[in-house]
Amino acid sequence: MITGPWVVGQLDTAAKKTGWTASHVATAPLPAGSSGSTSFAGGGTWGVLAGSGNADASWKLVRHLAKPSTQVAQYKAYSSLPAVVSAWDDPAIAGQPLLDAFLTQMKSTRTFPQVSTWQQVATRLGKEMEGVAKGTQSAEKAAAKVQAYAESLGPGTE
């Protein structure tokens, strides 16, 4: 399965046993192809609009969220991996062997395409991949459907 670190807790919950995932599952970075093993970075983006009515307080919040200690707290609460690489040195994260592959993969990521239709295409991709996973269609057919859908939407940048 290709997924993110949140699945570790989800699998433990489904198994109704803490530590089940660590004893039954392994993680690995994406295999490298001819163009490498690049993945997309998920998560959110923080920023302050130029016309913000309270820019000082907004920047204070962004700086707080970017602190390694806050990043570690978010990991502990939500299994949300830190974007701040130094937070990975915290024992709560560094001591988790299943997370090593995610750190390795994080070093080879790109942002999602900057087109307004990207989310629509990503949603369709998920739907078509479900069919592949269930064996109701081939990967080639799913890819062709997603490509046709994306082309029908266009980049949405006009």
Side-chain angles (χ1 to χ4, degrees):
M1 107 177 61
I2 297 175
T3 187
W6 53 86
V7 79
V8 174
Q10 290 174 347
L11 291 175
D12 278 0
T13 299
K16 297 180 179 163
K17 185 175 180 185
T18 300
W20 181 91
T21 308
S23 64
H24 290 84
V25 174
T27 58
L30 292 172
S34 60
S35 61
S37 65
T38 302
S39 176
F40 289 112
T45 304
W46 305 319
V48 177
L49 298 174
S52 171
N54 201 347
D56 290 341
S58 298
W59 279 115
K60 185 176 180 180
L61 174 63
V62 169
R63 285 190 297 274
H64 172 73
L65 293 172
K67 285 183 183 176
S69 60
T70 305
Q71 296 274 297
V72 171
Q74 285 181 315
Y75 167 74
K76 289 177 180 178
Y78 310 112
S79 299
S80 175
L81 291 183
V84 178
V85 177
S86 64
W88 287 75
D89 295 332
D90 187 276
I93 300 166
Q96 301 295 322
L98 291 176
L99 299 182
D100 291 343
F102 295 106
L103 177 59
T104 299
Q105 189 65 56
M106 189 171 79
K107 294 175 182 175
S108 178
T109 59
R110 292 187 183 159
T111 59
F112 286 109
Q114 298 300 305
V115 294
S116 62
T117 56
W118 173 248
Q119 190 57 52
Q120 292 167 275
V121 174
T123 299
R124 176 61 64 96
L125 176 62
K127 177 183 175 189
E128 299 300 336
M129 290 308 297
E130 182 178 353
V132 174
K134 289 180 175 180
T136 59
Q137 73 175 336
S138 69
E140 292 80 10
K141 185 173 182 179
K145 284 178 162 180
V146 172
Q147 183 66 38
Y149 180 69
E151 289 174 5
S152 76
L153 291 175
T157 56
E158 292 89 50

PDB file of all heavy atoms in Angstrom, residues 5 11 14 22 34-35 40 50 69 87 116 123 131 143:
ATOM      1  N   PRO A   5       2.182   8.195   7.112  1.00  0.00           N
ATOM      2  CA  PRO A   5       2.482   7.717   8.457  1.00  0.00           C
ATOM      3  C   PRO A   5       1.273   7.568   9.361  1.00  0.00           C
ATOM      4  O   PRO A   5       1.315   6.818  10.333  1.00  0.00           O
ATOM      5  CB  PRO A   5       3.434   8.776   9.005  1.00  0.00           C
ATOM      6  CG  PRO A   5       3.106  10.003   8.213  1.00  0.00           C
ATOM      7  CD  PRO A   5       2.736   9.516   6.840  1.00  0.00           C
ATOM      8  N   LEU A  11      -3.889   1.304  11.675  1.00  0.00           N
ATOM      9  CA  LEU A  11      -3.798  -0.150  11.663  1.00  0.00           C
ATOM     10  C   LEU A  11      -3.800  -0.708  13.081  1.00  0.00           C
ATOM     11  O   LEU A  11      -4.406  -1.746  13.343  1.00  0.00           O
ATOM     12  CB  LEU A  11      -2.553  -0.609  10.896  1.00  0.00           C
ATOM     13  CG  LEU A  11      -2.591  -0.357   9.392  1.00  0.00           C
ATOM     14  CD1 LEU A  11      -1.257  -0.725   8.752  1.00  0.00           C
ATOM     15  CD2 LEU A  11      -3.727  -1.097   8.725  1.00  0.00           C
ATOM     16  N   ALA A  14      -7.396  -0.629  14.118  1.00  0.00           N
ATOM     17  CA  ALA A  14      -8.173  -1.689  13.471  1.00  0.00           C
ATOM     18  C   ALA A  14      -7.866  -3.056  14.088  1.00  0.00           C
ATOM     19  O   ALA A  14      -8.766  -3.887  14.249  1.00  0.00           O
ATOM     20  CB  ALA A  14      -7.880  -1.712  11.974  1.00  0.00           C
ATOM     21  N   ALA A  22       3.773  -2.308  14.095  1.00  0.00           N
ATOM     22  CA  ALA A  22       5.228  -2.434  14.149  1.00  0.00           C
ATOM     23  C   ALA A  22       5.690  -3.882  14.030  1.00  0.00           C
ATOM     24  O   ALA A  22       6.775  -4.146  13.508  1.00  0.00           O
ATOM     25  CB  ALA A  22       5.757  -1.814  15.437  1.00  0.00           C
ATOM     26  N   SER A  34      13.063   5.489 -13.570  1.00  0.00           N
ATOM     27  CA  SER A  34      14.023   6.219 -14.404  1.00  0.00           C
ATOM     28  C   SER A  34      14.149   7.689 -14.010  1.00  0.00           C
ATOM     29  O   SER A  34      15.182   8.300 -14.229  1.00  0.00           O
ATOM     30  CB  SER A  34      13.623   6.114 -15.877  1.00  0.00           C
ATOM     31  OG  SER A  34      12.334   6.679 -16.067  1.00  0.00           O
ATOM     32  N   SER A  35      13.109   8.238 -13.394  1.00  0.00           N
ATOM     33  CA  SER A  35      13.174   9.647 -12.976  1.00  0.00           C
ATOM     34  C   SER A  35      13.281   9.801 -11.459  1.00  0.00           C
ATOM     35  O   SER A  35      13.021  10.865 -10.929  1.00  0.00           O
ATOM     36  CB  SER A  35      11.962  10.411 -13.508  1.00  0.00           C
ATOM     37  OG  SER A  35      10.768   9.854 -12.996  1.00  0.00           O
ATOM     38  N   PHE A  40       4.835  13.368  -3.650  1.00  0.00           N
ATOM     39  CA  PHE A  40       4.272  14.679  -3.360  1.00  0.00           C
ATOM     40  C   PHE A  40       4.249  14.901  -1.862  1.00  0.00           C
ATOM     41  O   PHE A  40       3.951  13.983  -1.102  1.00  0.00           O
ATOM     42  CB  PHE A  40       2.847  14.806  -3.907  1.00  0.00           C
ATOM     43  CG  PHE A  40       2.796  14.886  -5.394  1.00  0.00           C
ATOM     44  CD1 PHE A  40       2.245  13.863  -6.140  1.00  0.00           C
ATOM     45  CD2 PHE A  40       3.312  15.984  -6.059  1.00  0.00           C
ATOM     46  CE1 PHE A  40       2.186  13.930  -7.517  1.00  0.00           C
ATOM     47  CE2 PHE A  40       3.270  16.068  -7.436  1.00  0.00           C
ATOM     48  CZ  PHE A  40       2.708  15.034  -8.163  1.00  0.00           C
ATOM     49  N   ALA A  50      -0.903  39.497   2.618  1.00  0.00           N
ATOM     50  CA  ALA A  50      -0.338  40.843   2.674  1.00  0.00           C
ATOM     51  C   ALA A  50      -1.299  41.845   3.307  1.00  0.00           C
ATOM     52  O   ALA A  50      -0.883  42.744   4.025  1.00  0.00           O
ATOM     53  CB  ALA A  50       0.058  41.305   1.271  1.00  0.00           C
ATOM     54  N   SER A  69       9.332  21.802  18.775  1.00  0.00           N
ATOM     55  CA  SER A  69       8.540  21.255  19.879  1.00  0.00           C
ATOM     56  C   SER A  69       7.052  21.171  19.512  1.00  0.00           C
ATOM     57  O   SER A  69       6.361  20.216  19.882  1.00  0.00           O
ATOM     58  CB  SER A  69       8.717  22.092  21.149  1.00  0.00           C
ATOM     59  OG  SER A  69       8.305  23.433  20.930  1.00  0.00           O
ATOM     60  N   ALA A  87      13.003  18.381  14.127  1.00  0.00           N
ATOM     61  CA  ALA A  87      12.047  17.729  15.031  1.00  0.00           C
ATOM     62  C   ALA A  87      12.148  16.206  14.950  1.00  0.00           C
ATOM     63  O   ALA A  87      11.770  15.507  15.892  1.00  0.00           O
ATOM     64  CB  ALA A  87      10.626  18.181  14.712  1.00  0.00           C
ATOM     65  N   SER A 116      -5.674  24.875 -10.443  1.00  0.00           N
ATOM     66  CA  SER A 116      -6.885  24.848  -9.623  1.00  0.00           C
ATOM     67  C   SER A 116      -7.666  23.541  -9.754  1.00  0.00           C
ATOM     68  O   SER A 116      -8.464  23.220  -8.883  1.00  0.00           O
ATOM     69  CB  SER A 116      -7.780  26.038  -9.965  1.00  0.00           C
ATOM     70  OG  SER A 116      -8.188  25.969 -11.318  1.00  0.00           O
ATOM     71  N   THR A 123      -8.817  13.468  -6.689  1.00  0.00           N
ATOM     72  CA  THR A 123      -9.980  12.714  -6.227  1.00  0.00           C
ATOM     73  C   THR A 123     -10.329  11.613  -7.229  1.00  0.00           C
ATOM     74  O   THR A 123     -10.586  10.469  -6.849  1.00  0.00           O
ATOM     75  CB  THR A 123     -11.180  13.658  -6.019  1.00  0.00           C
ATOM     76  OG1 THR A 123     -10.831  14.615  -5.016  1.00  0.00           O
ATOM     77  CG2 THR A 123     -12.422  12.891  -5.577  1.00  0.00           C
ATOM     78  N   GLY A 131     -10.500   0.958  -7.941  1.00  0.00           N
ATOM     79  CA  GLY A 131     -10.873  -0.103  -8.880  1.00  0.00           C
ATOM     80  C   GLY A 131      -9.711  -1.032  -9.177  1.00  0.00           C
ATOM     81  O   GLY A 131      -9.877  -2.249  -9.298  1.00  0.00           O
ATOM     82  N   ALA A 143      -5.303   4.602 -15.463  1.00  0.00           N
ATOM     83  CA  ALA A 143      -4.451   5.735 -15.842  1.00  0.00           C
ATOM     84  C   ALA A 143      -5.036   6.472 -17.044  1.00  0.00           C
ATOM     85  O   ALA A 143      -5.049   7.717 -17.082  1.00  0.00           O
ATOM     86  CB  ALA A 143      -3.031   5.257 -16.139  1.00  0.00           C
TER      87      ALA A 143
END
